[in-house]
Amino acid sequence: MAVREVRASVSGELKTLENQKGDIYSESLQAPERKYKSNEKASYYPVTVTAEDEAGNQTTASPETDGGALILEVREKQIFPLQLIAANAMREEIGFVKENIDLDLDIGGTYDFEIRIDMNVWQKEKFWYNHILFVPDTEYGGIMEDLEVVTKTNEIVFRGDTWRGMLRRKVVEPPNGSGNLVLNGELNSVIRGLVGTRFSDLFVVDDADTGIIVQGWTVDRYVLLYDAVMKLLEHFGHRLQIAYVQGKGLDPGAVHLRAVPAVDWSGEIEYSQDSRVHFDIRDSRKGINHLVCASTGRNDERIVLHLYVQEDGSIGRIQHYFGLQERAAVYEFTSADAESLLDYGTKQLKALQNYKKINLSVSDMDLELGDIVGGRERVTGTVLNKPITRKILKMSKKRTEINYEIKGDD
């Protein structure tokens, strides 16, 4: 029976192959970029190919069924040193930043950046309001919007939001006449609908098929755009990939977004006293374990919920810690109904409860928010296999360093 369709999948990207001639099918798929620099300088990804005939019968080939032939080898590109580029407000590139600068860029914490420039080498044509700083093909970048002149140190200081920070400056509202925004469709197309034209043509959501179909997903009312996107991605085990891509020819560059599967590196990247990676580990056991959540209002109009941390770190309605072990706090939420109060109160208590955290300082790898790494420390016995929640890029003329933060549960 004749073949009706052939599909190929690699690293979460699914594409339908075109019939070129006879039994030959082909299509171009973008090779995944693994930014962790291994000794082999290469990464290997399984490829799955599925053929379907006109009767709907399917045959699938994968590395498990073909003896390992369907493996994509991706040679790593050089990550360091990172090259910082300045562009004007029209996104026309001015040139590399070779001046004596200090850059501090935070992804996942404050979501902003600060660049300090020696006043003797500062040029208004290069560093000015609404100008862009970026490292090509990474999410390191943002728009300069806050200027400070520091005469004591003879510096010009510019600050601004990172690309993620800009996503946190937009709010998703429910449609007129509707209680909530409901999402349906392929994952990247749904994100494209959420982002829309809020950033004109600066932000672009790539047209890549994740193979994930969102059905009836309800967006929280009046939520930050970034939070809406991240909650959706976390549910489907994906992370948000962001990269500033330079334009071709005279075309301006743009910030490209796409949903990609989160990568679990814990099997091959573990930080401990045995490694040469600098880190500090914190096991805090003085967190809040009882949160009294109250809406605004008077007397009986107020909704009050009691939330408690359980022994396993989860949040419940039954008290587990008493006496000296109980640590309580009050959380007030404006005009909340019971469902919203429970949702936001749970998030608040998770942020306040006991936690374990690892801060890493490395200079030869670039991992992404949402990727999972492992850590262990012999003194406290702390072991973590958790996603990266924060990255801080520090760049100067002498050194480039990326610090990671991995936060775990109690």
Side-chain angles (χ1 to χ4, degrees):
M1 190 168 290
V3 174
R4 183 179 67 179
E5 186 178 72
V6 178
R7 300 181 297 274
S9 174
V10 56
S11 191
E13 183 174 357
L14 180 67
K15 277 200 174 183
T16 300
L17 308 186
E18 296 290 336
N19 189 343
Q20 302 297 325
K21 183 179 180 181
D23 295 331
I24 298 176
Y25 291 80
S26 68
E27 183 55 82
S28 297
L29 284 86
Q30 182 173 350
E33 293 184 7
R34 178 186 176 184
K35 294 186 177 181
Y36 166 57
K37 293 173 65 180
S38 68
N39 292 331
E40 297 182 17
K41 305 298 182 187
S43 305
Y44 303 92
Y45 296 86
V47 179
T48 301
V49 178
T50 301
E52 182 176 328
D53 63 23
E54 295 176 349
N57 301 310
Q58 294 186 355
T59 301
T60 299
S62 66
E64 291 77 17
T65 61
D66 72 347
L70 284 174
I71 293 289
L72 173 65
E73 178 180 332
V74 179
R75 291 286 172 179
E76 296 179 9
K77 67 179 183 180
Q78 183 67 29
I79 301 300
F80 297 94
L82 297 175
Q83 298 292 331
L84 187 65
I85 296 176
N88 63 23
M90 301 300 293
R91 285 176 270 156
E92 299 168 336
E93 294 183 16
I94 300 171
F96 291 105
V97 177
K98 297 181 179 180
E99 291 83 356
N100 183 18
I101 59 100
D102 282 298
L103 175 68
D104 191 321
L105 188 147
D106 188 321
I107 300 173
T110 58
Y111 299 94
D112 59 9
F113 71 90
E114 175 184 283
I115 183 170
R116 292 179 172 269
I117 312 154
D118 189 317
M119 201 177 297
N120 294 321
V121 298
W122 169 74
Q123 303 174 55
K124 182 177 179 179
E125 295 77 14
K126 194 171 189 178
F127 305 100
W128 196 238
Y129 290 105
N130 297 319
H131 282 205
I132 291 175
L133 294 172
F134 68 91
V135 176
D137 302 321
T138 76
E139 72 166 288
Y140 302 125
I143 300 176
M144 293 182 278
E145 296 178 307
D146 181 342
L147 170 63
E148 180 182 7
V149 179
V150 185
T151 58
K152 185 176 180 179
T153 57
N154 199 40
E155 290 177 312
I156 296 289
V157 182
F158 260 109
R159 300 179 180 91
D161 291 323
T162 61
W163 309 128
R164 285 181 192 261
M166 292 176 65
L167 291 171
R168 295 173 59 84
R169 301 301 185 191
K170 305 292 184 181
V171 175
V172 179
E173 302 182 34
N176 291 333
S178 177
N180 291 88
L181 175 64
V182 179
L183 306 177
N184 294 283
E186 188 276 326
L187 187 55
N188 273 324
S189 67
V190 165
I191 296 173
R192 186 179 306 110
L194 283 172
V195 174
T197 57
R198 297 169 187 264
F199 304 95
S200 186
D201 62 345
L202 175 60
F203 280 35
V204 176
V205 180
D206 291 339
D207 186 17
D209 189 346
T210 61
I212 294 175
I213 303 300
V214 180
Q215 294 181 324
W217 179 269
T218 301
V219 179
D220 296 333
R221 291 171 56 83
Y222 300 100
V223 65
L224 296 180
L225 173 60
Y226 180 74
D227 291 343
V229 171
M230 296 304 290
K231 184 175 181 179
L232 177 66
L233 292 177
E234 183 179 354
H235 177 78
F236 289 102
H238 278 54
R239 64 172 177 81
L240 182 63
Q241 178 174 296
I242 304 178
Y244 188 94
V245 179
Q246 295 169 287
K248 297 180 180 179
L250 298 178
D251 294 334
V255 180
H256 285 249
L257 314 177
R258 68 160 59 187
V260 298
V263 181
D264 187 348
W265 299 110
S266 60
E268 55 185 292
I269 305 176
E270 180 177 89
Y271 303 103
S272 69
Q273 279 101 324
D274 302 325
S275 71
R276 292 178 295 175
V277 178
H278 299 292
F279 74 95
D280 62 77
I281 192 162
R282 182 173 180 178
D283 185 352
S284 175
R285 302 184 184 183
K286 64 181 185 65
I288 300 299
N289 52 46
H290 174 193
L291 191 63
V292 182
C293 307
S295 66
T296 56
R298 295 183 178 179
N299 300 325
D300 293 341
E301 295 177 357
R302 302 190 76 181
I303 302 173
V304 178
L305 297 175
H306 290 262
L307 299 178
Y308 304 95
V309 175
Q310 305 302 300
E311 186 175 12
D312 63 357
S314 63
I315 308 299
R317 304 293 291 276
I318 300 175
Q319 187 170 357
H320 178 76
Y321 297 98
F322 297 89
L324 288 174
Q325 290 186 312
E326 180 194 14
R327 291 186 175 89
V330 176
Y331 172 63
E332 292 188 336
F333 191 79
T334 306
S335 302
D337 54 39
E339 184 178 351
S340 297
L341 192 62
L342 175 62
D343 184 26
Y344 286 97
T346 300
K347 293 178 182 177
Q348 183 74 3
L349 184 50
K350 284 183 177 179
L352 296 173
Q353 70 185 96
N354 293 354
Y355 64 86
K356 296 174 183 177
K357 181 174 69 174
I358 297 177
N359 290 323
L360 309 172
S361 176
V362 297
S363 57
D364 64 347
M365 65 181 69
D366 192 7
L367 304 173
E368 301 293 345
L369 258 64
D371 284 347
I372 299 172
V373 295
R376 58 188 171 92
E377 196 277 323
R378 292 194 296 268
V379 175
T380 64
T382 299
V383 178
L384 285 179
N385 284 328
K386 292 293 180 179
I388 296 169
T389 58
R390 188 179 185 184
K391 298 170 62 177
I392 299 177
L393 170 68
K394 294 181 180 292
M395 181 183 294
S396 65
K397 189 174 182 179
K398 296 180 179 179
R399 187 177 184 184
T400 296
E401 182 178 89
I402 303 174
N403 297 310
Y404 298 91
E405 183 174 295
I406 297 97
K407 186 172 181 180
D409 301 324
D410 176 38

mmCIF file of all heavy atoms in Angstrom, residues 54-89:
data_model
loop_
_atom_site.group_PDB
_atom_site.id
_atom_site.type_symbol
_atom_site.label_atom_id
_atom_site.label_comp_id
_atom_site.label_asym_id
_atom_site.label_seq_id
_atom_site.Cartn_x
_atom_site.Cartn_y
_atom_site.Cartn_z
ATOM 1 N N GLU A 54 -1.894 4.725 3.419
ATOM 2 C CA GLU A 54 -3.226 5.269 3.185
ATOM 3 C C GLU A 54 -4.280 4.629 4.073
ATOM 4 O O GLU A 54 -5.362 5.197 4.280
ATOM 5 C CB GLU A 54 -3.603 5.100 1.712
ATOM 6 C CG GLU A 54 -2.713 5.923 0.768
ATOM 7 C CD GLU A 54 -3.044 5.675 -0.693
ATOM 8 O OE1 GLU A 54 -3.799 4.715 -0.967
ATOM 9 O OE2 GLU A 54 -2.553 6.434 -1.538
ATOM 10 N N ALA A 55 -3.986 3.474 4.629
ATOM 11 C CA ALA A 55 -4.939 2.798 5.519
ATOM 12 C C ALA A 55 -4.739 3.218 6.977
ATOM 13 O O ALA A 55 -5.476 2.760 7.862
ATOM 14 C CB ALA A 55 -4.782 1.287 5.403
ATOM 15 N N GLY A 56 -3.749 4.073 7.229
ATOM 16 C CA GLY A 56 -3.502 4.525 8.587
ATOM 17 C C GLY A 56 -2.506 3.669 9.345
ATOM 18 O O GLY A 56 -2.251 3.915 10.527
ATOM 19 N N ASN A 57 -1.941 2.644 8.715
ATOM 20 C CA ASN A 57 -0.935 1.821 9.377
ATOM 21 C C ASN A 57 0.374 2.605 9.508
ATOM 22 O O ASN A 57 0.793 3.280 8.556
ATOM 23 C CB ASN A 57 -0.689 0.533 8.584
ATOM 24 C CG ASN A 57 -1.965 -0.288 8.442
ATOM 25 O OD1 ASN A 57 -2.655 -0.538 9.425
ATOM 26 N ND2 ASN A 57 -2.278 -0.689 7.211
ATOM 27 N N GLN A 58 1.014 2.483 10.646
ATOM 28 C CA GLN A 58 2.230 3.237 10.901
ATOM 29 C C GLN A 58 3.416 2.323 11.189
ATOM 30 O O GLN A 58 3.263 1.292 11.848
ATOM 31 C CB GLN A 58 2.045 4.189 12.085
ATOM 32 C CG GLN A 58 1.052 5.309 11.834
ATOM 33 C CD GLN A 58 1.005 6.294 12.978
ATOM 34 O OE1 GLN A 58 1.650 6.101 14.003
ATOM 35 N NE2 GLN A 58 0.243 7.364 12.794
ATOM 36 N N THR A 59 4.577 2.724 10.678
ATOM 37 C CA THR A 59 5.835 2.041 10.960
ATOM 38 C C THR A 59 6.820 3.077 11.463
ATOM 39 O O THR A 59 7.014 4.118 10.824
ATOM 40 C CB THR A 59 6.394 1.351 9.706
ATOM 41 O OG1 THR A 59 5.440 0.396 9.231
ATOM 42 C CG2 THR A 59 7.705 0.645 10.026
ATOM 43 N N THR A 60 7.437 2.802 12.616
ATOM 44 C CA THR A 60 8.340 3.774 13.234
ATOM 45 C C THR A 60 9.745 3.199 13.330
ATOM 46 O O THR A 60 9.938 2.050 13.726
ATOM 47 C CB THR A 60 7.848 4.158 14.635
ATOM 48 O OG1 THR A 60 6.553 4.760 14.525
ATOM 49 C CG2 THR A 60 8.798 5.152 15.290
ATOM 50 N N ALA A 61 10.716 4.020 12.933
ATOM 51 C CA ALA A 61 12.132 3.651 13.061
ATOM 52 C C ALA A 61 12.787 4.622 14.038
ATOM 53 O O ALA A 61 12.560 5.832 13.980
ATOM 54 C CB ALA A 61 12.831 3.711 11.708
ATOM 55 N N SER A 62 13.608 4.094 14.937
ATOM 56 C CA SER A 62 14.299 4.903 15.936
ATOM 57 C C SER A 62 15.630 4.239 16.246
ATOM 58 O O SER A 62 15.907 3.128 15.774
ATOM 59 C CB SER A 62 13.451 5.008 17.209
ATOM 60 O OG SER A 62 13.340 3.739 17.825
ATOM 61 N N PRO A 63 16.500 4.893 17.035
ATOM 62 C CA PRO A 63 17.781 4.264 17.376
ATOM 63 C C PRO A 63 17.618 2.907 18.056
ATOM 64 O O PRO A 63 18.486 2.047 17.951
ATOM 65 C CB PRO A 63 18.414 5.284 18.338
ATOM 66 C CG PRO A 63 17.818 6.587 17.941
ATOM 67 C CD PRO A 63 16.412 6.270 17.540
ATOM 68 N N GLU A 64 16.491 2.710 18.746
ATOM 69 C CA GLU A 64 16.259 1.440 19.423
ATOM 70 C C GLU A 64 15.910 0.317 18.452
ATOM 71 O O GLU A 64 16.144 -0.865 18.732
ATOM 72 C CB GLU A 64 15.140 1.585 20.454
ATOM 73 C CG GLU A 64 15.486 2.439 21.658
ATOM 74 C CD GLU A 64 15.443 3.924 21.347
ATOM 75 O OE1 GLU A 64 14.837 4.299 20.321
ATOM 76 O OE2 GLU A 64 16.037 4.718 22.112
ATOM 77 N N THR A 65 15.353 0.684 17.289
ATOM 78 C CA THR A 65 14.890 -0.348 16.352
ATOM 79 C C THR A 65 15.788 -0.532 15.137
ATOM 80 O O THR A 65 15.642 -1.516 14.416
ATOM 81 C CB THR A 65 13.470 -0.011 15.861
ATOM 82 O OG1 THR A 65 13.485 1.255 15.167
ATOM 83 C CG2 THR A 65 12.492 0.076 17.025
ATOM 84 N N ASP A 66 16.684 0.419 14.891
ATOM 85 C CA ASP A 66 17.520 0.306 13.680
ATOM 86 C C ASP A 66 18.996 0.119 14.003
ATOM 87 O O ASP A 66 19.860 0.357 13.167
ATOM 88 C CB ASP A 66 17.327 1.525 12.787
ATOM 89 C CG ASP A 66 17.979 2.782 13.357
ATOM 90 O OD1 ASP A 66 18.350 2.757 14.555
ATOM 91 O OD2 ASP A 66 18.121 3.757 12.627
ATOM 92 N N GLY A 67 19.278 -0.269 15.248
ATOM 93 C CA GLY A 67 20.672 -0.511 15.617
ATOM 94 C C GLY A 67 21.482 0.739 15.867
ATOM 95 O O GLY A 67 22.711 0.696 15.877
ATOM 96 N N GLY A 68 20.818 1.860 16.067
ATOM 97 C CA GLY A 68 21.531 3.092 16.401
ATOM 98 C C GLY A 68 21.916 3.944 15.223
ATOM 99 O O GLY A 68 22.662 4.907 15.375
ATOM 100 N N ALA A 69 21.395 3.626 14.024
ATOM 101 C CA ALA A 69 21.765 4.412 12.845
ATOM 102 C C ALA A 69 21.133 5.800 12.864
ATOM 103 O O ALA A 69 21.709 6.761 12.365
ATOM 104 C CB ALA A 69 21.360 3.669 11.567
ATOM 105 N N LEU A 70 19.926 5.903 13.438
ATOM 106 C CA LEU A 70 19.228 7.186 13.443
ATOM 107 C C LEU A 70 19.681 8.044 14.631
ATOM 108 O O LEU A 70 18.944 8.302 15.577
ATOM 109 C CB LEU A 70 17.714 6.960 13.494
ATOM 110 C CG LEU A 70 17.068 6.526 12.178
ATOM 111 C CD1 LEU A 70 15.607 6.189 12.383
ATOM 112 C CD2 LEU A 70 17.209 7.620 11.128
ATOM 113 N N ILE A 71 20.915 8.474 14.574
ATOM 114 C CA ILE A 71 21.476 9.357 15.589
ATOM 115 C C ILE A 71 22.035 10.596 14.902
ATOM 116 O O ILE A 71 22.821 10.490 13.953
ATOM 117 C CB ILE A 71 22.600 8.655 16.385
ATOM 118 C CG1 ILE A 71 22.038 7.522 17.230
ATOM 119 C CG2 ILE A 71 23.330 9.670 17.265
ATOM 120 C CD1 ILE A 71 21.211 7.972 18.415
ATOM 121 N N LEU A 72 21.589 11.768 15.357
ATOM 122 C CA LEU A 72 22.090 13.021 14.812
ATOM 123 C C LEU A 72 23.271 13.496 15.651
ATOM 124 O O LEU A 72 23.168 13.635 16.867
ATOM 125 C CB LEU A 72 20.990 14.088 14.824
ATOM 126 C CG LEU A 72 21.414 15.511 14.435
ATOM 127 C CD1 LEU A 72 21.857 15.553 12.981
ATOM 128 C CD2 LEU A 72 20.279 16.482 14.681
ATOM 129 N N GLU A 73 24.409 13.736 15.013
ATOM 130 C CA GLU A 73 25.593 14.252 15.691
ATOM 131 C C GLU A 73 25.697 15.746 15.429
ATOM 132 O O GLU A 73 25.701 16.190 14.286
ATOM 133 C CB GLU A 73 26.848 13.548 15.199
ATOM 134 C CG GLU A 73 28.126 14.072 15.847
ATOM 135 C CD GLU A 73 29.373 13.360 15.337
ATOM 136 O OE1 GLU A 73 29.265 12.193 14.930
ATOM 137 O OE2 GLU A 73 30.445 13.994 15.351
ATOM 138 N N VAL A 74 25.759 16.520 16.516
ATOM 139 C CA VAL A 74 25.848 17.975 16.409
ATOM 140 C C VAL A 74 27.170 18.429 17.005
ATOM 141 O O VAL A 74 27.432 18.204 18.187
ATOM 142 C CB VAL A 74 24.682 18.666 17.154
ATOM 143 C CG1 VAL A 74 24.812 20.182 17.050
ATOM 144 C CG2 VAL A 74 23.350 18.212 16.567
ATOM 145 N N ARG A 75 27.989 19.033 16.178
ATOM 146 C CA ARG A 75 29.258 19.575 16.646
ATOM 147 C C ARG A 75 29.015 20.905 17.328
ATOM 148 O O ARG A 75 28.279 21.758 16.823
ATOM 149 C CB ARG A 75 30.218 19.770 15.462
ATOM 150 C CG ARG A 75 30.687 18.461 14.868
ATOM 151 C CD ARG A 75 31.699 17.801 15.782
ATOM 152 N NE ARG A 75 32.037 16.444 15.335
ATOM 153 C CZ ARG A 75 32.912 15.676 15.947
ATOM 154 N NH1 ARG A 75 33.535 16.124 17.020
ATOM 155 N NH2 ARG A 75 33.154 14.452 15.508
ATOM 156 N N GLU A 76 29.620 21.087 18.487
ATOM 157 C CA GLU A 76 29.372 22.296 19.255
ATOM 158 C C GLU A 76 30.106 23.494 18.662
ATOM 159 O O GLU A 76 31.222 23.396 18.202
ATOM 160 C CB GLU A 76 29.824 22.102 20.704
ATOM 161 C CG GLU A 76 29.045 21.035 21.426
ATOM 162 C CD GLU A 76 29.526 20.848 22.858
ATOM 163 O OE1 GLU A 76 30.339 21.675 23.303
ATOM 164 O OE2 GLU A 76 29.085 19.897 23.495
ATOM 165 N N LYS A 77 29.413 24.654 18.731
ATOM 166 C CA LYS A 77 30.071 25.882 18.322
ATOM 167 C C LYS A 77 30.742 26.514 19.531
ATOM 168 O O LYS A 77 30.429 26.195 20.676
ATOM 169 C CB LYS A 77 29.062 26.858 17.714
ATOM 170 C CG LYS A 77 28.045 27.398 18.704
ATOM 171 C CD LYS A 77 27.114 28.361 18.025
ATOM 172 C CE LYS A 77 26.136 28.978 19.017
ATOM 173 N NZ LYS A 77 25.223 29.920 18.366
ATOM 174 N N GLN A 78 31.656 27.406 19.290
ATOM 175 C CA GLN A 78 32.374 28.049 20.387
ATOM 176 C C GLN A 78 31.438 28.986 21.138
ATOM 177 O O GLN A 78 30.751 29.807 20.534
ATOM 178 C CB GLN A 78 33.568 28.840 19.846
ATOM 179 C CG GLN A 78 34.418 29.479 20.915
ATOM 180 C CD GLN A 78 35.139 28.437 21.751
ATOM 181 O OE1 GLN A 78 35.443 27.358 21.283
ATOM 182 N NE2 GLN A 78 35.400 28.776 23.000
ATOM 183 N N ILE A 79 31.393 28.880 22.465
ATOM 184 C CA ILE A 79 30.535 29.732 23.270
ATOM 185 C C ILE A 79 31.314 30.902 23.859
ATOM 186 O O ILE A 79 30.867 32.041 23.855
ATOM 187 C CB ILE A 79 29.899 28.916 24.413
ATOM 188 C CG1 ILE A 79 29.084 27.778 23.825
ATOM 189 C CG2 ILE A 79 29.026 29.796 25.302
ATOM 190 C CD1 ILE A 79 27.963 28.228 22.927
ATOM 191 N N PHE A 80 32.494 30.609 24.366
ATOM 192 C CA PHE A 80 33.312 31.635 24.989
ATOM 193 C C PHE A 80 34.530 31.924 24.125
ATOM 194 O O PHE A 80 35.089 31.020 23.520
ATOM 195 C CB PHE A 80 33.743 31.187 26.386
ATOM 196 C CG PHE A 80 32.598 30.989 27.331
ATOM 197 C CD1 PHE A 80 32.033 29.743 27.493
ATOM 198 C CD2 PHE A 80 32.071 32.059 28.021
ATOM 199 C CE1 PHE A 80 30.976 29.550 28.359
ATOM 200 C CE2 PHE A 80 31.013 31.883 28.887
ATOM 201 C CZ PHE A 80 30.464 30.629 29.060
ATOM 202 N N PRO A 81 35.007 33.165 24.055
ATOM 203 C CA PRO A 81 34.463 34.311 24.772
ATOM 204 C C PRO A 81 33.165 34.827 24.141
ATOM 205 O O PRO A 81 32.993 34.751 22.919
ATOM 206 C CB PRO A 81 35.570 35.360 24.649
ATOM 207 C CG PRO A 81 36.244 35.021 23.354
ATOM 208 C CD PRO A 81 36.192 33.529 23.254
ATOM 209 N N LEU A 82 32.250 35.324 24.954
ATOM 210 C CA LEU A 82 31.011 35.909 24.456
ATOM 211 C C LEU A 82 31.303 37.270 23.839
ATOM 212 O O LEU A 82 32.083 38.051 24.379
ATOM 213 C CB LEU A 82 30.007 36.065 25.597
ATOM 214 C CG LEU A 82 29.542 34.767 26.278
ATOM 215 C CD1 LEU A 82 28.644 35.097 27.459
ATOM 216 C CD2 LEU A 82 28.808 33.878 25.289
ATOM 217 N N GLN A 83 30.677 37.546 22.728
ATOM 218 C CA GLN A 83 30.885 38.802 22.020
ATOM 219 C C GLN A 83 29.663 39.697 22.183
ATOM 220 O O GLN A 83 28.584 39.401 21.671
ATOM 221 C CB GLN A 83 31.148 38.535 20.532
ATOM 222 C CG GLN A 83 32.399 37.717 20.247
ATOM 223 C CD GLN A 83 33.663 38.470 20.586
ATOM 224 O OE1 GLN A 83 33.716 39.697 20.523
ATOM 225 N NE2 GLN A 83 34.714 37.744 20.947
ATOM 226 N N LEU A 84 29.811 40.787 22.905
ATOM 227 C CA LEU A 84 28.723 41.735 23.142
ATOM 228 C C LEU A 84 28.686 42.760 22.011
ATOM 229 O O LEU A 84 29.708 43.330 21.641
ATOM 230 C CB LEU A 84 28.922 42.431 24.487
ATOM 231 C CG LEU A 84 27.798 43.345 24.976
ATOM 232 C CD1 LEU A 84 26.536 42.546 25.245
ATOM 233 C CD2 LEU A 84 28.241 44.090 26.238
ATOM 234 N N ILE A 85 27.493 42.975 21.462
ATOM 235 C CA ILE A 85 27.313 43.882 20.329
ATOM 236 C C ILE A 85 26.301 44.962 20.708
ATOM 237 O O ILE A 85 25.333 44.707 21.428
ATOM 238 C CB ILE A 85 26.826 43.124 19.080
ATOM 239 C CG1 ILE A 85 27.892 42.118 18.625
ATOM 240 C CG2 ILE A 85 26.472 44.083 17.942
ATOM 241 C CD1 ILE A 85 27.465 41.255 17.449
ATOM 242 N N ALA A 86 26.529 46.189 20.225
ATOM 243 C CA ALA A 86 25.603 47.296 20.430
ATOM 244 C C ALA A 86 24.880 47.602 19.125
ATOM 245 O O ALA A 86 25.462 47.522 18.040
ATOM 246 C CB ALA A 86 26.339 48.536 20.926
ATOM 247 N N ALA A 87 23.599 47.922 19.238
ATOM 248 C CA ALA A 87 22.794 48.317 18.079
ATOM 249 C C ALA A 87 21.959 49.525 18.464
ATOM 250 O O ALA A 87 21.655 49.739 19.646
ATOM 251 C CB ALA A 87 21.887 47.171 17.633
ATOM 252 N N ASN A 88 21.584 50.332 17.470
ATOM 253 C CA ASN A 88 20.791 51.523 17.778
ATOM 254 C C ASN A 88 19.312 51.164 17.929
ATOM 255 O O ASN A 88 18.939 49.976 17.865
ATOM 256 C CB ASN A 88 21.006 52.614 16.725
ATOM 257 C CG ASN A 88 20.544 52.170 15.331
ATOM 258 O OD1 ASN A 88 19.716 51.268 15.183
ATOM 259 N ND2 ASN A 88 21.104 52.798 14.311
ATOM 260 N N ALA A 89 18.484 52.171 18.109
ATOM 261 C CA ALA A 89 17.066 51.930 18.358
ATOM 262 C C ALA A 89 16.363 51.295 17.164
ATOM 263 O O ALA A 89 15.294 50.678 17.327
ATOM 264 C CB ALA A 89 16.374 53.238 18.728
#
